[in-house]
Amino acid sequence: MTDDIAEHAAGSRSGRRNDPERRERIISACLDVIAESGVAGASHRRIAAAAGVPLGSMTYHFAGIDELLREAFTRFATTISARFEERMAAASDAESARAAVVAIIVEDVAHGTRDLVLAHELYTLATREPGYRALTTAWMQRSRAALERHFDPQTARLLDAMIEGISIHRALDDDPRDLAEVVDAVERITRSA
Amino acid sequence: MTDDIAEHAAGSRSGRRNDPERRERIISACLDVIAESGVAGASHRRIAAAAGVPLGSMTYHFAGIDELLREAFTRFATTISARFEERMAAASDAESARAAVVAIIVEDVAHGTRDLVLAHELYTLATREPGYRALTTAWMQRSRAALERHFDPQTARLLDAMIEGISIHRALDDDPRDLAEVVDAVERITRSA
Amino acid sequence: MTDDIAEHAAGSRSGRRNDPERRERIISACLDVIAESGVAGASHRRIAAAAGVPLGSMTYHFAGIDELLREAFTRFATTISARFEERMAAASDAESARAAVVAIIVEDVAHGTRDLVLAHELYTLATREPGYRALTTAWMQRSRAALERHFDPQTARLLDAMIEGISIHRALDDDPRDLAEVVDAVERITRSA
Amino acid sequence: MTDDIAEHAAGSRSGRRNDPERRERIISACLDVIAESGVAGASHRRIAAAAGVPLGSMTYHFAGIDELLREAFTRFATTISARFEERMAAASDAESARAAVVAIIVEDVAHGTRDLVLAHELYTLATREPGYRALTTAWMQRSRAALERHFDPQTARLLDAMIEGISIHRALDDDPRDLAEVVDAVERITRSA
DNA sequence: AATGAATGAGGATTCATTCAT
DNA sequence: CATGAATGAATCCTCATTCAT
């Protein structure tokens, strides 16, 4: 107990040797840096500074920058996927599922463009490197499976693609798009079966 | 003037003195390098090597790497846009326009993934830097205008987004996608008005 | 104390607590690494991996990399020296001693070039650092003493040098050398007294 | 002429952009550093400092540290070889050739141990990497060819090996060896034919 | 007009070593 | 006693850019 007090009093000094969250913190910082400066700007130095860890710490926790990137994007894709699934699971019928899809699209923008930027960086890697393709493939499969709780497989695929396309265009559009368009898009895909 | 004469005397062998091709050649090489190694890998050295021009030539023809990138992506977006417009202009009615849209999507894959990779790289830049946003905005506007020759504005927007989304998903999908799916997607967007 | 009892109870399975093999195992691994990657490539990490011991173990058993290197080369020189002495002791007269010398030279190649590589690495250190010179000096003295069982001191010195030179040249030569050459070399040195 | 004076007056400033000797200077510095600190210690930084050139200059003039090492050792081997040939060419008969060989061995020590250290470093590389083997092989061939001007091939080979071995042992020996030993060695090899 | 030479900043990574546990 | 975690220094190399020619 006394030790605990002493430790807190000493601030972060005693935590120096054993910092179990550090790996996680680096991954988070990595995603932050990528969101701000792109994969190209995600250097050991910059990520280390963002995470508040010494430079040498980077290659201790991750075999190389590639491993770090891979883990960061894995966590990103998993997080987004989980959020998506959660929303779909919360929907009770096709009607509320449609509303959930609209919410997903609209909220991405609310999240800042952070998630979208990260998604783009991932896509860019994935179109070039098969290793990252596994990530996007799994992501797409989870999304489709989640959508299939409420829609037939073909509709689920098309809806997933529509979400993708409309999210991108909304992000690239300078004037704020109105909600009605999104609603209409979802309607067209899901009603025409 | 004397110079011009001298040049003509030399037979204007290939315009070497004022080599206008060289600038173009560098831009082409730049796009090639980006397609293969990403914006991150597009260095002066590598592009110069790909273009077969001396290193010093790079900063002579382009103020910096940014200027080169900007011009390269401008040419890329313009080329793609033009091809899109052309196809739409060639369509005589909504029916053939739909077929043209399907062709566009399916052909992207035929083109290798080169165009898609480049598009992603551009999007990635655009989500972060307003300068590149102008490029993507203009591109989108041209696409929509072209689509509006055959569809109402709202449908045009949604169709454009659908093209985007389905192209991406087809590129990231490992198993070769069915053509019927694309046809269906276009139908759903354009028929439900 | 209790621990000691426990250990004995465990049957002193292999002396794990005070693992004397571990030190030896590290030294062996160190020589292996040097043979393969040179002194320059002999890092704590690599040696630890080769020995199958944890990294922290290295600086626990050896004050620093220098101490480890010194011990490794000491063992190497001692081993080679002993083998040399043994062979010489086994010879009964000058004639069989000559045969033994030939065998030593020819066998080096059989041993792979491992010993020769290690010898070179040691020489390289020795020409620069007096600490390692002691090792090579002792080695040379043992060799000469062993040769002096059968030859006069001067012949012993020259023979020792000849062994050295011919071993090196045989190792660096690409075409497999003739045994007759080695025999001739030994003859010339030992017969001309 | 005026320019030359001006240039010298300006010190090293005007030579900054065009320094044709720079490559050579780096190679020389590289050999110096290797002689002093070994191949292991021959880093870009250290060599650059020794040559008085900026760090970035290193990889401009040499594709990598390997290329630099290779060129440095090539120059070293060539230089030594040439000196050897020269001495042999200067000898008029077997008797003076024998004297020349003795001089070569004894003088190596006079040269400081520099050449010998460098030779060892090269051997060490050569025993491990075939690329450097070509260097040592060529060197050996030149030496033997030079010796064959005065001795039969077999004697030349053995003499070359003897030079090698005795040079090494003399360098590793702490007490200054006397000249008589060297003379005797040469005699034994060359007289017993 | 065009370019080869040059360079400082920053890239990823490896390293020997320290130390809390 | 033994070790996993941690780190700053130093490694090689690539880069965009400048500039004398």
Side-chain angles (χ1 to χ4, degrees):
Chain A
M1 246 227 278
T2 2
D3 281 351
D4 272 292
I5 291 170
E7 187 172 346
H8 277 110
S12 59
R13 192 148 50 91
S14 85
R16 215 164 45 99
R17 282 283 154 194
N18 243 10
D19 185 350
E21 304 167 29
R22 173 164 291 192
R23 241 186 96 90
E24 288 306 307
R25 208 149 22 101
I26 291 174
I27 292 177
S28 280
C30 179
L31 287 172
D32 289 343
V33 171
I34 293 172
E36 180 156 1
S37 316
V39 167
S43 69
H44 271 157
R45 278 176 157 75
R46 203 140 23 163
I47 297 166
V53 303
L55 180 57
S57 196
M58 302 299 291
T59 43
Y60 173 74
H61 287 288
F62 302 91
I65 195 106
D66 287 338
E67 183 181 312
L68 172 52
L69 279 179
R70 190 103 41 187
E71 288 209 33
F73 276 119
T74 301
R75 206 180 75 177
F76 168 71
T78 307
T79 305
I80 300 284
S81 256
R83 202 156 62 208
F84 190 96
E85 263 177 358
E86 216 174 303
R87 277 185 193 275
M88 281 302 129
S92 53
D93 55 6
E95 195 53 46
S96 56
R98 274 189 279 273
V101 168
V102 170
I104 286 167
I105 295 171
V106 173
E107 221 151 275
D108 272 358
V109 181
H111 259 266
T113 45
R114 191 192 128 106
D115 287 352
L116 208 78
V117 170
L118 287 172
H120 270 304
E121 295 278 357
L122 175 54
Y123 291 162
T124 302
L125 288 177
T127 44
R128 203 175 297 107
E129 291 176 46
Y132 287 99
R133 196 97 38 87
L135 243 53
T136 55
T137 302
W139 179 359
M140 271 166 37
Q141 272 164 350
R142 278 184 76 177
S143 300
R144 286 168 186 171
L147 289 167
E148 284 177 17
R149 294 170 66 117
H150 307 286
F151 309 102
D152 69 278
Q154 168 89 331
T155 300
R157 302 183 74 91
L158 298 185
L159 192 49
D160 195 31
M162 185 83 237
I163 294 172
E164 192 71 55
I166 211 163
S167 292
I168 292 175
H169 280 208
R170 282 173 64 88
L172 293 179
D173 245 342
D174 274 334
D175 48 345
R177 298 282 82 228
D178 82 322
L179 189 113
E181 186 187 78
V182 180
V183 173
D184 186 22
V186 175
E187 292 288 324
R188 292 195 192 192
I189 297 291
T190 60
R191 298 281 189 206
S192 359
Chain B
M1 245 225 279
T2 2
D3 280 351
D4 273 296
I5 291 169
E7 191 175 344
H8 277 110
S12 73
R13 243 195 340 263
S14 67
R16 253 176 36 91
R17 262 290 289 280
N18 224 3
D19 195 351
E21 297 172 32
R22 170 162 292 191
R23 229 173 166 277
E24 288 306 307
R25 204 146 29 100
I26 292 174
I27 291 178
S28 277
C30 179
L31 287 172
D32 289 342
V33 171
I34 293 172
E36 179 153 1
S37 316
V39 167
S43 69
H44 272 155
R45 278 174 158 72
R46 202 138 23 165
I47 298 165
V53 303
L55 178 57
S57 193
M58 302 299 292
T59 43
Y60 175 75
H61 286 289
F62 300 91
I65 194 98
D66 287 336
E67 183 181 313
L68 173 53
L69 277 178
R70 188 104 41 187
E71 289 209 32
F73 277 119
T74 301
R75 206 181 75 176
F76 168 71
T78 307
T79 305
I80 300 285
S81 257
R83 202 158 60 208
F84 191 95
E85 264 177 358
E86 217 172 301
R87 277 186 193 274
M88 284 302 130
S92 52
D93 55 6
E95 197 52 46
S96 57
R98 272 190 281 272
V101 168
V102 169
I104 286 167
I105 294 172
V106 173
E107 220 152 276
D108 273 358
V109 181
H111 259 264
T113 44
R114 190 193 128 105
D115 287 353
L116 208 76
V117 170
L118 287 171
H120 273 303
E121 294 279 355
L122 174 53
Y123 291 163
T124 300
L125 288 176
T127 45
R128 206 173 295 108
E129 288 178 47
Y132 287 98
R133 193 99 37 87
L135 242 53
T136 56
T137 302
W139 178 0
M140 271 166 38
Q141 271 165 353
R142 279 185 75 177
S143 300
R144 287 167 187 172
L147 289 166
E148 285 176 17
R149 295 170 65 119
H150 306 286
F151 309 101
D152 67 278
Q154 169 86 335
T155 299
R157 304 182 73 91
L158 298 185
L159 193 49
D160 195 30
M162 187 82 236
I163 294 171
E164 191 72 52
I166 211 162
S167 293
I168 291 175
H169 280 208
R170 281 173 64 88
L172 294 180
D173 243 342
D174 274 334
D175 46 347
R177 293 284 84 226
D178 192 20
L179 187 112
E181 187 186 81
V182 179
V183 174
D184 186 21
V186 174
E187 291 288 323
R188 292 197 194 192
I189 297 291
T190 58
R191 297 282 189 205
S192 355
Chain C
M1 243 224 282
T2 1
D3 281 351
D4 272 295
I5 291 170
E7 190 177 344
H8 277 111
S12 71
R13 242 192 342 262
S14 68
R16 249 174 43 88
R17 261 288 290 279
N18 226 3
D19 194 350
E21 297 172 33
R22 172 161 290 190
R23 231 174 164 274
E24 287 307 306
R25 203 145 29 100
I26 292 174
I27 291 177
S28 275
C30 179
L31 287 172
D32 288 343
V33 170
I34 293 172
E36 181 153 1
S37 316
V39 167
S43 68
H44 273 156
R45 277 174 158 72
R46 209 157 351 183
I47 297 165
V53 303
L55 178 59
S57 194
M58 303 299 291
T59 44
Y60 175 74
H61 287 289
F62 301 91
I65 194 100
D66 287 335
E67 183 180 314
L68 172 53
L69 278 178
R70 189 103 42 186
E71 289 209 32
F73 276 120
T74 301
R75 206 181 74 177
F76 168 69
T78 307
T79 304
I80 300 283
S81 257
R83 203 158 61 208
F84 191 96
E85 263 176 358
E86 217 173 300
R87 277 185 193 275
M88 283 302 130
S92 53
D93 55 6
E95 196 51 47
S96 57
R98 271 189 281 271
V101 167
V102 170
I104 286 168
I105 294 172
V106 173
E107 219 152 277
D108 273 357
V109 180
H111 260 265
T113 45
R114 191 193 128 105
D115 287 352
L116 208 76
V117 170
L118 287 172
H120 273 303
E121 294 279 356
L122 174 54
Y123 291 164
T124 300
L125 288 176
T127 45
R128 207 173 294 108
E129 289 177 47
Y132 288 99
R133 193 99 37 87
L135 241 54
T136 55
T137 301
W139 178 0
M140 271 166 37
Q141 271 164 352
R142 279 185 75 179
S143 300
R144 287 167 186 173
L147 289 168
E148 285 177 15
R149 293 170 67 118
H150 307 286
F151 308 102
D152 68 278
Q154 168 86 335
T155 298
R157 304 182 72 92
L158 297 186
L159 193 49
D160 196 31
M162 186 81 237
I163 293 172
E164 191 72 53
I166 211 164
S167 292
I168 292 175
H169 279 210
R170 281 172 65 89
L172 294 179
D173 243 341
D174 275 333
D175 47 345
R177 294 284 85 226
D178 192 21
L179 186 111
E181 186 187 80
V182 179
V183 173
D184 185 22
V186 174
E187 292 288 324
R188 292 198 192 191
I189 297 291
T190 59
R191 297 283 188 206
S192 355
Chain D
M1 241 221 282
T2 2
D3 281 350
D4 271 293
I5 291 170
E7 189 172 345
H8 277 110
S12 59
R13 192 148 51 92
S14 84
R16 215 165 47 98
R17 281 286 154 193
N18 244 10
D19 185 351
E21 304 166 29
R22 173 164 290 193
R23 243 186 94 91
E24 288 306 308
R25 206 146 26 100
I26 292 174
I27 293 177
S28 280
C30 179
L31 287 172
D32 289 342
V33 170
I34 293 172
E36 180 156 1
S37 317
V39 167
S43 70
H44 271 158
R45 276 175 158 75
R46 208 152 1 177
I47 297 166
V53 303
L55 182 57
S57 193
M58 302 299 291
T59 44
Y60 173 75
H61 286 287
F62 302 91
I65 194 108
D66 286 338
E67 183 180 313
L68 173 52
L69 279 178
R70 190 102 43 186
E71 289 209 32
F73 276 118
T74 302
R75 207 181 72 176
F76 168 70
T78 308
T79 305
I80 300 284
S81 256
R83 202 157 61 209
F84 190 96
E85 264 177 358
E86 217 173 301
R87 277 185 194 274
M88 282 302 128
S92 53
D93 56 6
E95 195 53 46
S96 56
R98 271 189 281 274
V101 167
V102 170
I104 286 168
I105 295 171
V106 173
E107 220 152 275
D108 273 359
V109 181
H111 258 265
T113 46
R114 191 192 129 107
D115 287 352
L116 208 77
V117 170
L118 287 172
H120 271 303
E121 296 279 356
L122 174 54
Y123 291 162
T124 302
L125 288 176
T127 44
R128 203 175 297 107
E129 291 176 45
Y132 286 99
R133 196 97 38 88
L135 243 53
T136 54
T137 301
W139 179 359
M140 271 166 37
Q141 271 165 352
R142 279 185 77 178
S143 300
R144 287 167 186 172
L147 289 167
E148 285 177 17
R149 295 171 65 117
H150 306 286
F151 308 102
D152 68 278
Q154 168 88 334
T155 299
R157 301 182 77 91
L158 298 185
L159 192 49
D160 195 30
M162 186 83 238
I163 294 172
E164 192 71 55
I166 210 163
S167 293
I168 292 174
H169 280 207
R170 282 173 63 89
L172 294 178
D173 245 342
D174 274 334
D175 46 347
R177 297 282 84 226
D178 81 321
L179 190 112
E181 186 187 81
V182 180
V183 173
D184 185 21
V186 174
E187 291 289 323
R188 293 196 193 192
I189 297 291
T190 58
R191 298 280 189 207
S192 358

